[in-house]
Amino acid sequence: MMTITEKILAAHAGKDEVVAGELINAKVDLVLANDITAPISITEFGKSGAAKVFDKDRIALIPDHFTPQKDIKAAEQCKMLREFSKKHQLSLYFEVGRMGIEHALLPEQGIVVPGDLVIGADSHTCTYGALGAFATGVGSTDVAAAMASGECWFKVPESMKFIYYGKLNKWASGKDLILHTIGDIGVDGALYRAMEFEGEAISGLPMYGRLTMCNMAIEAGGKNGLIVPDTITEEYVKGRAKRPYKFYYSDPKASYVEVKEYDCSKIPLTVSCPHLPSNTKPAQELSGVTVDQVVVGSCTNGRLEDLREAAQILKGRKVNPNVRMIIFPATQLIYKQAMHEGLMDIFIDAEAVVSTPTCGPCLGGHMGILAKGERAIATTNRNFVGRMGHPESEVFLSNPAVAAASAVLGRIGTPEELGL
Amino acid sequence: MHLKGKVWKFGNDIDTDAIIPARYLNTSDPKELAKHVMEDADKDFPSKMQAGDIIVAGKNFGCGSSREHAPIALKAAGINAVIARSFARIFYRNAFNIGLPIFESTDASEHIQEGDAIEIDAGNGTVKNLSAGKEYSAKPIPPFMRELISAGGLIEWTKNKMKGAA
């Protein structure tokens, strides 16, 4: 009797069964790193003495954080990725113009598939659990070792189940479910554990919402987030999967260390206040909070459907004169689709700025840094001290609809306040 | 191995953005990173700390980003060890992978005060508070993590393993 997490780990460790707490060595299907983490991996890989990588088609290097190259040092780091990729003939290197934010790009391009075991030197690697894959963030040295050996060690995590009953409230989305959950269990509420999401609301949740939820499992300390694959998964992966895939399911009698249940009708539009994602409040209680900047995008909420939600709010309206609004589509494909659908016209007419795909503003890297005392509401994933700029700036986290409504209002607000 | 040093205290949920803010991650040079260690938790920390000091923190130390730059910055600045009630998962792996000694102890985390001189016996996990004359115990280091340490880190361990398999 195993959970989906245990089954995927067992299959990749060549075992019939694994139990929580067991230490295993498992084969990885994909290893990824970005322009911040890969330089250390490349240096450590050099020290391993390995002449070549374990598989040139299973290592994804994606310069997405400080790209387009923001300064000389960042450009030097990106150059390391490019040169390493050329030397080892990596087929999954994505240059500026072809790249996107890694956790949006890899599922979109069918490079990660259900049943995969993926490690990435980026904490939001857990995003791919939405496809029914086991995916977790590790450090650069773990990635270096895996680039050489194709393997990684894991402690099989205990699994925690989250069941969402009923239907989502108007304008509520996967983001509200996950923020509410983190608010309930805390930033270490799932420490070292697998977070498995299920229930009526999850069965009806489109893939983009599932990706948002699994993306933020790390914000509760989780090792991975997971949604058992179903017809929505099948619809999403067919036609885009670049490799054969396999659906794994949790056994009905699998063991869970804890089960949390939520009634979605009681989950409001939710905002995380500074300086922890667990510091949640209903959006409507924050109407006195003015904002200087609004950011829509990131690996959490930069997909086409997220942009459509923002556009629904912004159509025919203007961003408040006191607000700078920055929208960044997560991949080139999303950018192009947003253009074809006329979303770009809506954004530009509303006086928002639209950026090329980059992680830049989310982590205070570039393309939208906050000054001392400034405040932002963002669809990103972290609101730690200094996350988006000056240590005395503040970040509030929300879904795209709340962020867009706040951009119009000049303060935190909901679409209802605009009559929507 | 005995690790002796003066203590700096930090609270719960110290995230990796506080340990090394992303604005400095356009380099992975340990010396550059060390200049900004813990800056967003305490802006004076890089100038007031001394090599050999020990950090004692609350729960979930190192949460957030997977950046290995966080333990690297602490190590390069000369932080001798970190004791916390608990560590975030990726930080925990990273610390062992790069050789930053870390210890989990609720007692030590609660009772040790800033400025105390302490000594950690890395072998048995005993933490002596030399200033207060008290002793606490840290969780023993799991056998596999000891194996990593004795191999000289994950890269050396992997090298040995690949040699064995060849």
Side-chain angles (χ1 to χ4, degrees), chain A residues 81-338:
Chain A
L81 273 66
R82 188 179 310 114
E83 287 174 351
F84 184 84
S85 301
K86 272 196 184 142
K87 182 178 170 193
H88 292 278
Q89 298 174 304
L90 303 187
S91 61
L92 299 176
Y93 168 71
F94 295 90
E95 188 55 271
V96 171
R98 297 84 173 167
M99 52 69 80
I101 296 175
E102 50 197 340
H103 309 308
L105 184 73
L106 296 178
E108 172 197 280
Q109 296 296 318
I111 294 165
V112 288
V113 296
D116 268 359
L117 194 165
V118 181
I119 62 165
D122 189 280
S123 61
H124 292 110
T125 301
C126 52
T127 309
Y128 319 133
L131 301 172
F134 175 91
T136 192
V138 295
S140 299
T141 299
D142 276 311
V143 157
M147 290 199 303
S149 68
E151 294 181 356
C152 186
W153 68 268
F154 299 94
K155 189 164 93 174
V156 178
E158 293 176 315
S159 287
M160 203 171 167
K161 190 186 275 193
F162 298 83
I163 309 173
Y164 301 87
Y165 297 104
K167 295 203 163 34
L168 291 172
N169 285 315
K170 195 175 178 195
W171 295 108
S173 64
K175 185 64 166 286
D176 300 279
L177 296 185
I178 193 65
L179 292 182
H180 182 81
T181 304
I182 297 164
D184 180 42
I185 67 171
V187 288
D188 61 350
L191 191 59
Y192 295 89
R193 291 174 173 175
M195 298 175 79
E196 195 175 317
F197 306 111
E198 65 165 56
E200 184 187 345
I202 303 299
S203 302
L205 194 66
M207 186 50 73
Y208 77 100
R210 296 178 177 195
L211 290 160
T212 301
M213 286 191 76
C214 291
N215 172 273
M216 289 192 74
I218 179 69
E219 263 50 78
K223 181 167 194 152
N224 62 312
L226 247 166
I227 293 173
V228 169
D230 59 10
T231 50
I232 289 177
T233 321
E234 181 66 39
E235 278 300 308
Y236 184 82
V237 294
K238 75 174 183 202
R240 66 175 90 214
K242 296 280 199 303
R243 284 183 283 115
Y245 53 90
K246 185 172 175 184
F247 283 5
Y248 289 89
Y249 303 95
S250 290
D251 290 323
K253 287 187 179 165
S255 147
Y256 294 88
V257 66
E258 209 176 331
V259 179
K260 291 288 212 178
E261 297 174 282
Y262 299 99
D263 173 355
C264 290
S265 70
K266 292 185 181 142
I267 298 181
L269 294 176
T270 301
V271 173
S272 293
C273 302
H275 289 287
L276 283 177
S278 56
N279 192 13
T280 52
K281 286 206 173 107
Q284 59 186 25
E285 286 179 17
L286 297 166
S287 58
V289 180
T290 56
V291 293
D292 304 289
Q293 180 168 299
V294 176
V295 173
V296 172
S298 83
C299 61
T300 312
N301 282 119
R303 296 179 185 83
L304 186 64
E305 296 88 341
D306 296 312
L307 302 189
R308 283 182 190 146
E309 275 177 26
Q312 264 183 279
I313 311 283
L314 292 175
K315 190 169 187 179
R317 296 184 172 82
K318 295 274 187 219
V319 170
N320 186 281
N322 299 321
V323 174
R324 321 180 283 273
M325 184 175 195
I326 304 166
I327 297 170
F328 56 119
T331 67
Q332 289 287 86
L333 185 62
I334 296 167
Y335 197 106
K336 197 172 159 187
Q337 286 173 330

Side-chain angles (χ1 to χ4, degrees), chain A residues 40 108 118 150 183 239 389 392 411 418:
Chain A
I40 298 176
E108 172 197 280
V118 181
E392 288 173 44
R411 57 166 176 82
L418 299 170

